[in-house]
Amino acid sequence: MSDHPVQPANDAAKLKIYFLPNLLTAGNLFCGFVALTKIVEADLSPLPDGSINWWPIKFALAAILMACIFDLFDGRVARLGGHESPFGREFDSLADLVSFGVAPAFLVHRIVLGQVFGEQYQELGWFLASIYLLCGAFRLARFNCLSAMNAPGAGKDFLGFPIPSAAGLVASLTLFIIKLNEKEKNLGHWGYLLPAVLVFLSAMMVSEVRYPSFKSLGLRSTSTFLKLLIAALFLGLLLILREKIIYYVLPLFFTGYLLYGFVRPHISRAWRREIEEEDGDDDPSSAA
């Protein structure tokens, strides 16, 4: 045996925790926690006039959508400063599991599955919600493994539907359904749509359908005049028609992204490049 003492690990081997990207990830996790608390606090009993106080549920849905925004920017901020790290990737997945896995599953069971299946088949509602949660956890674990191996499915393309987009679709679609039935004692026939969507999204998250990650789109990216004009017009609509954007446009946006994975293989490479790629210096590697 050597008499020399064990040398301390060098700087490159130390755990690196970068402040700003992980602060954004913490914001994602906080929004998920707020969503869960509001779902638990919500009293969905009919009021004297027959209506339901949907405000806590709307607040929870807004928190999930806000978590999507935090998740959108944490990886871009990390790549912009070259501050990607294994800690950031793992922390991001833990936050995603709460905000985009547990919260949407609990939400749909709380406000929809109980009404659709009733107390007699309550266990079936729990089972359907757990399918979404388990598939979301498998999706995140697979992404982390592919990232660690630098394998396809965690770079420019996502393998399977991303869990933040799945949660965004569930949240925005739920807001749309609540808007349609705001004065009713229940969600009507629309209540049957969300369980079906939940199961379909569960399958899509663990599928092998590929989706563009748009990770090359960042603060240092350049774009064509047409793309910039479309983005500016969209921001203008967002400011002018805030409520309509939330209730009507967001479900269409997330649904369009979901369907794009199916039509993408049939689009020419030139069109795909025009839609997905941006010129810039960002490294399109895995998210922090």
Side-chain angles (χ1 to χ4, degrees), residues 101-124:
V102 177
F106 191 53
L107 168 82
V108 174
H109 180 271
R110 178 79 169 83
I111 71 170
V112 176
L113 295 180
Q115 294 185 8
V116 172
F117 298 108
E119 294 183 0
Q120 185 177 1
Y121 301 102
Q122 190 176 30
E123 293 81 3
L124 179 59

Side-chain angles (χ1 to χ4, degrees), residues 24-280:
L24 293 171
T25 302
N28 169 6
L29 181 59
F30 178 75
C31 287
F33 174 73
V34 169
L36 285 169
T37 58
K38 289 299 178 183
I39 295 167
V40 172
E41 291 173 359
D43 182 5
L44 302 181
S45 303
L47 298 174
D49 62 354
S51 63
I52 294 176
N53 179 20
W54 292 110
W55 171 245
I57 296 298
K58 287 183 177 181
F59 195 97
L61 293 168
I64 293 174
L65 293 173
M66 183 60 67
C68 291
I69 296 176
F70 279 115
D71 184 72
L72 178 67
F73 284 105
D74 60 1
R76 281 166 173 76
V77 169
R79 287 189 295 276
L80 181 65
H83 294 157
E84 295 178 277
S85 68
F87 177 87
R89 182 172 60 243
E90 299 300 328
F91 185 32
D92 184 70
S93 291
L94 291 172
D96 287 355
L97 185 59
V98 174
S99 299
F100 309 133
V102 177
F106 191 53
L107 168 82
V108 174
H109 180 271
R110 178 79 169 83
I111 71 170
V112 176
L113 295 180
Q115 294 185 8
V116 172
F117 298 108
E119 294 183 0
Q120 185 177 1
Y121 301 102
Q122 190 176 30
E123 293 81 3
L124 179 59
W126 279 114
F127 178 68
L128 292 179
S130 68
I131 291 176
Y132 176 88
L133 178 59
L134 287 172
C135 289
F138 272 77
R139 168 71 177 76
L140 291 167
R142 181 175 67 177
F143 175 83
N144 284 355
C145 290
L146 293 174
S147 296
M149 297 185 297
N150 291 320
K156 282 189 174 182
D157 288 348
F158 287 134
L159 185 62
F161 195 57
I163 189 172
S165 300
L169 179 55
V170 170
S172 58
L173 190 59
T174 304
L175 274 173
F176 174 72
I177 293 174
I178 289 176
K179 181 67 174 178
L180 292 179
N181 298 271
E182 205 154 18
K183 301 299 183 182
E184 303 295 331
K185 295 182 181 180
N186 54 57
L187 298 178
H189 295 298
W190 287 97
Y192 292 93
L193 177 63
L194 272 176
V197 169
L198 202 70
V199 173
F200 180 69
L201 289 176
S202 302
M204 289 304 302
M205 285 191 291
V206 295
S207 71
E208 296 189 358
V209 179
R210 294 187 177 274
Y211 288 87
S213 66
F214 297 106
K215 289 180 181 178
S216 60
L217 180 60
L219 297 178
R220 295 184 298 195
S221 302
T222 60
S223 182
T224 62
F225 176 79
L226 180 59
K227 287 183 180 179
L228 181 60
L229 179 61
I230 293 174
L233 291 174
F234 179 79
L235 287 176
L237 285 175
L238 184 62
L239 293 173
I240 297 171
L241 305 173
R242 292 183 296 273
E243 184 174 345
K244 288 183 172 58
I245 289 287
I246 293 174
Y247 287 118
Y248 303 112
V249 177
L250 282 181
L252 292 176
F253 173 79
F254 287 112
T255 302
Y257 183 50
L258 174 65
L259 297 178
Y260 181 68
F262 293 99
V263 302
R264 188 180 184 228
H266 307 290
I267 299 176
S268 67
R269 290 186 178 181
W271 273 95
R272 192 186 303 179
R273 192 180 309 113
E274 180 68 21
I275 294 171
E276 300 174 11
E277 296 185 6
E278 299 287 337
D279 296 325

